[in-house]
Amino acid sequence: MKRIAVLTSGGDAPGMNAAVRAIVRKGIYEGFEVYGINYGFAGLVSGDIRKLTPKDVSDTIGRGGTFLYSARFPEFAQREGQEKGIEQLKKFGIEGLVVIGGDGSYRGAVALTKLGFPTVGVPGTIDNDIPGTDYTIGFDTAINTVLEAIDRLRDTATSHVRTFIVEVMGRNAGDIALWTGIGSGAEQILIPEHDYSIENVANEIKRGRENGKKHTIIVLAEGVMSGDELARKLWEHDEDFHTRVTVLGHVQRGGSPTARDRVLASQFGSKAVDLLKDGIGGVAVGIIGDKVIYSDIVDLLENGKHLPNLDLYQLNKEISF
Ligand code: ATP
């Protein structure tokens, strides 16, 4: 294998640039020519592909987003798009591909794998919802961004003796809510992987007030319901409950990656190159404990399931009253 390529796909995540940088630099170090594909699978199909030099990735390690751009390109779910993508890769003489993204992007990588093209997945999404790894690139930065926002809200919540609902990202996974709920000392955390009842939420708020708490912070993963919906349900339960809702939205996605995300991205990028060098495709890299590992990507998507650390959910109950 002489030429490899990299693309970023799905939602951008801080640290994607650091991963691309590592792939380019390590790839060249190992004797490859490395190509960058713009706009994810859309650019793969249209042939928006260029050779990257070590200088092209200078000054990118600390930048959020992705300088290769990303795109949602549902057409890649069709065989026709996938075959066109492989044709483009062959046209450029590219023999191995690294796909950085979330589970949708992994499906694209699986499609290429099934068509016989050596592809390596790198988990890049702030949601931390990918099987086969404890952490994804961007999660650490996102939770630190959310924490900073909640710390600010807490000042206002305390000053006005108010209940704040903070809606954070996480359609299917409660990791962002769990980690930021504990890190911010939130009174309640609501995640898709755990039942809740409005009555319990309301009782906990009351109990906190009776214990002399001046504020209540509820961190809510968007996959449970919207912040407005929770506010309405609490009010319907008890008309004395007046809550303020903050939806953090896309501010959670951007920003300069933390040290942890930069290092993780560099480790993942380097491992992806090692795998292609050894002729191993059809896999995804990850970190389990402190070991960088790889797993069969088809098996991950078909049988793997990401579960948040539910011990953290229990821990918050024990220390937040
Ligand atoms: P995030 O979790 O951050 O949103 P993601 O990678 O899951 O990231 P998606 O929009 O779901 O984001 O997927 C990214 C891209 O992967 C899609 O736009 C599409 O090009 C490709 N893709 C998604 N599903 C499939 C599929 N079933 N087959 C082939 N390609 C797919």
Side-chain angles (χ1 to χ4, degrees), residues 18 31 46 52 83 92 106 114-115 133-134 172 178-179 193 215 219 229 234 274 276 280 290 295 304:
S46 68
L52 294 173
E83 281 173 352
F92 282 83
Y106 270 30
K114 287 188 169 166
L115 290 173
T133 188
D134 290 343
N172 307 307
L178 265 184
W179 283 72
E193 299 90 347
H215 57 251
V219 180
E229 200 180 337
L234 282 168
D274 278 340
L276 289 175
I280 300 172
D290 61 1
S295 333

Side-chain angles (χ1 to χ4, degrees), residues 11-25:
D12 63 306
M16 279 182 162
N17 284 327
V20 173
R21 171 181 177 271
I23 290 160
V24 171
R25 295 267 170 93

Side-chain angles (χ1 to χ4, degrees), residues 9-11 41 71-74 76-77 82 101-105 107-108 125 171:
S9 165
F41 293 112
R72 308 275 180 190
F73 185 64
F76 204 70
Q82 299 157 7
D103 60 340
S105 306
R107 284 179 208 291
T125 169
R171 267 168 300 165

Side-chain angles (χ1 to χ4, degrees), residues 282-299:
V283 293
V285 302
I287 189 160
I288 303 285
D290 61 1
K291 277 214 154 26
V292 178
I293 53 104
Y294 67 94
S295 333
D296 184 293
I297 195 168
V298 177
D299 185 48

Side-chain angles (χ1 to χ4, degrees), residues 113-303:
T113 296
K114 287 188 169 166
L115 290 173
F117 197 87
T119 307
V120 176
V122 169
T125 169
I126 65 165
D127 294 336
N128 208 42
D129 60 350
I130 306 288
T133 188
D134 290 343
Y135 297 105
T136 58
I137 297 170
F139 174 64
D140 189 61
T141 307
I143 57 177
N144 279 288
T145 305
V146 171
L147 267 189
E148 202 183 315
I150 300 179
D151 284 348
R152 285 164 201 259
L153 289 170
R154 176 187 289 278
D155 293 343
T156 303
T158 307
S159 306
H160 293 268
V161 195
R162 268 187 190 147
T163 300
F164 267 84
I165 296 169
V166 187
E167 182 193 311
V168 300
M169 280 186 172
R171 267 168 300 165
N172 307 307
D175 293 60
I176 293 179
L178 265 184
W179 283 72
T180 60
I182 292 196
S184 65
E187 280 66 28
Q188 308 251 344
I189 303 172
L190 270 62
I191 56 172
E193 299 90 347
H194 205 287
D195 301 339
Y196 73 94
S197 86
I198 290 297
E199 198 172 349
N200 277 350
V201 176
N203 287 343
E204 288 299 317
I205 297 173
K206 272 195 203 139
R207 189 156 75 110
R209 288 283 145 82
E210 283 158 16
N211 285 341
K213 279 206 170 224
K214 294 289 182 227
H215 57 251
T216 307
I217 305 270
I218 304 172
V219 180
L220 166 72
E222 64 182 338
V224 179
M225 68 184 113
S226 72
D228 284 338
E229 200 180 337
L230 178 58
R232 184 175 49 76
K233 284 186 172 168
L234 282 168
W235 183 78
E236 281 167 3
H237 178 81
D238 182 338
E239 290 192 1
D240 285 340
F241 276 135
H242 294 284
T243 51
R244 293 284 191 276
V245 178
T246 299
V247 181
L248 292 181
H250 283 84
V251 294
Q252 295 164 86
R253 280 262 190 86
S256 178
T258 57
R260 199 184 155 81
D261 272 331
R262 296 181 200 194
V263 172
L264 189 67
S266 303
Q267 289 176 297
F268 283 173
S270 167
K271 182 75 176 176
V273 171
D274 278 340
L275 289 163
L276 289 175
K277 192 180 111 200
D278 292 341
I280 300 172
V283 293
V285 302
I287 189 160
I288 303 285
D290 61 1
K291 277 214 154 26
V292 178
I293 53 104
Y294 67 94
S295 333
D296 184 293
I297 195 168
V298 177
D299 185 48
L300 272 189
L301 274 193
E302 283 172 6
N303 307 313

